[in-house]
Amino acid sequence: MEPEVSNQSLLFLIVFVLVPLTLSYYYQLGMSKDIVWSSIRGTIQLFVVGYILTFLFDLNPYIGIPLMVSIMIVIATFHARNKGKELPNAFGVILLGLITVEGSVLALWLAFDMVEFRPSEVIPMSGMIIGNSMVAMGLALERMKSEFTENSGRLMAALSLGAKPNQASHLIITKTLNAALIPNVDRLKTIGLVQLPGMMTGLILGGVEPVMAIKYQLVISLSIFSSVSLSAMFVTMAMYRYFFNKNDQLLESEEELRTQSK
């Protein structure tokens, strides 16, 4: 029997919204409107996506899959770009990175028969790849900006001694990639011990045998780990150069970065 949550039961989910709402009011965090709005918006978005997926699942996979994956990539690109919108070509770099990562992972899934090319399998799993890659790119951009700001003196000293931008930025690149990878490394260390991953839990609730659910979870977990690594490396290696001008001088302010992007 398939699990089912009644509409009446869903109404009681308001309790989970009241907890952060009460904390925000009590401690005067000023987040009450954001909490209410994000809860309403998230609920509406999920239902809309549910109806869209129902429609896409009935389409020819060669139409439904490219359509939905393209939409997800474009939305993820806009979101990740906000973390580095003052950097030149951020949108194009992120878009190219997401297309490359998603295309590579999907090709491997299909080549080794890990998934079947049908919307009900490819779209949800691709969403996890694109979403985690988006977060990794955003984290990499944020960390890279803060590292360049905090280490501007050290960078200028290295440049004045004859170091090239890639040499002067080596430590920053290393720290940025490290920061982007640590959460996923920690998640893999505790997978199945601290929590049952979402995909595995969903499959088990849907009636799939636990061992088969574990196999699917391994596919997506290791695919996410690889895609996050590639995404962070791609955006870091592509974007660090924009913190320097054509004369290999460090751009110290956001205004200078915006000027260079024009």
Side-chain angles (χ1 to χ4, degrees):
M1 186 176 89
E2 294 184 1
E4 182 178 349
V5 180
S6 67
N7 293 331
Q8 290 79 6
S9 298
L10 284 176
L11 292 176
F12 288 99
L13 287 175
I14 193 173
V15 174
F16 296 112
V17 179
L18 290 176
V19 173
L21 191 62
T22 302
L23 290 173
S24 175
Y25 178 79
Y26 183 80
Y27 288 104
Q28 298 180 345
L29 302 179
M31 297 180 62
S32 299
K33 290 183 179 179
D34 288 336
I35 291 171
V36 173
W37 168 240
S38 62
S39 301
I40 295 173
R41 175 178 170 176
T43 300
I44 294 173
Q45 286 177 177
L46 283 175
F47 274 106
V48 170
V49 169
Y51 287 113
I52 291 174
L53 289 177
T54 301
F55 169 72
L56 291 175
F57 288 175
D58 293 332
L59 289 179
N60 184 303
Y62 292 97
I63 297 175
I65 291 176
L67 177 61
M68 191 61 187
V69 169
S70 298
I71 292 173
M72 289 190 292
I73 287 176
V74 171
I75 294 174
T77 301
F78 276 106
H79 185 78
R81 188 209 51 178
N82 289 333
K83 305 296 184 180
K85 55 187 176 183
E86 63 275 4
L87 295 173
N89 303 320
F91 184 89
V93 169
I94 295 170
L95 179 63
L96 178 60
L98 289 175
I99 292 174
T100 302
V101 170
E102 164 62 16
S104 301
V105 171
L106 181 56
L108 287 173
W109 285 346
L110 297 175
F112 293 99
D113 294 323
M114 296 179 188
V115 300
E116 293 185 30
F117 192 72
R118 56 187 182 190
S120 59
E121 291 190 24
V122 174
I123 291 176
M125 293 180 71
S126 293
M128 287 185 258
I129 296 298
I130 295 168
N132 281 275
S133 298
M134 172 194 72
V135 172
M137 288 181 168
L139 286 174
L141 288 173
E142 280 193 323
R143 183 59 182 263
M144 189 161 50
K145 287 192 299 183
S146 65
E147 288 289 342
F148 269 100
T149 300
E150 294 173 6
N151 294 281
S152 59
R154 185 178 301 175
L155 286 166
M156 285 190 289
L159 292 171
S160 65
L161 293 173
K164 297 295 183 181
N166 64 318
Q167 296 170 322
S169 307
H170 178 75
L171 183 60
I172 289 177
I173 293 172
T174 301
K175 287 184 176 181
T176 299
L177 293 176
N178 191 50
L181 295 181
I182 283 177
N184 286 277
V185 172
D186 290 341
R187 192 177 298 120
L188 273 180
K189 287 179 181 178
T190 58
I191 190 171
L193 298 176
V194 177
Q195 64 174 348
L196 293 180
M199 184 175 185
M200 177 180 169
T201 302
L203 289 171
I204 292 175
L205 289 174
V208 176
E209 290 292 328
V211 174
M212 182 58 66
I214 288 171
K215 290 180 180 179
Y216 272 100
Q217 186 61 56
L218 279 174
V219 170
I220 194 62
S221 293
L222 295 178
S223 297
I224 287 174
F225 185 60
S226 176
S227 63
V228 164
S229 304
L230 289 173
S231 298
M233 182 180 68
F234 185 91
V235 76
T236 301
M237 298 305 297
M239 298 304 297
Y240 87 89
R241 188 62 183 81
Y242 292 111
F243 286 88
F244 302 89
N245 62 21
K246 296 179 180 179
N247 298 319
D248 291 345
Q249 296 172 322
L250 180 66
L251 301 175
E252 299 183 68
S253 66
E254 291 187 4
E255 186 60 36
E256 290 178 314
L257 290 171
R258 291 192 183 96
T259 301
Q260 180 176 249
S261 66
K262 294 179 181 179

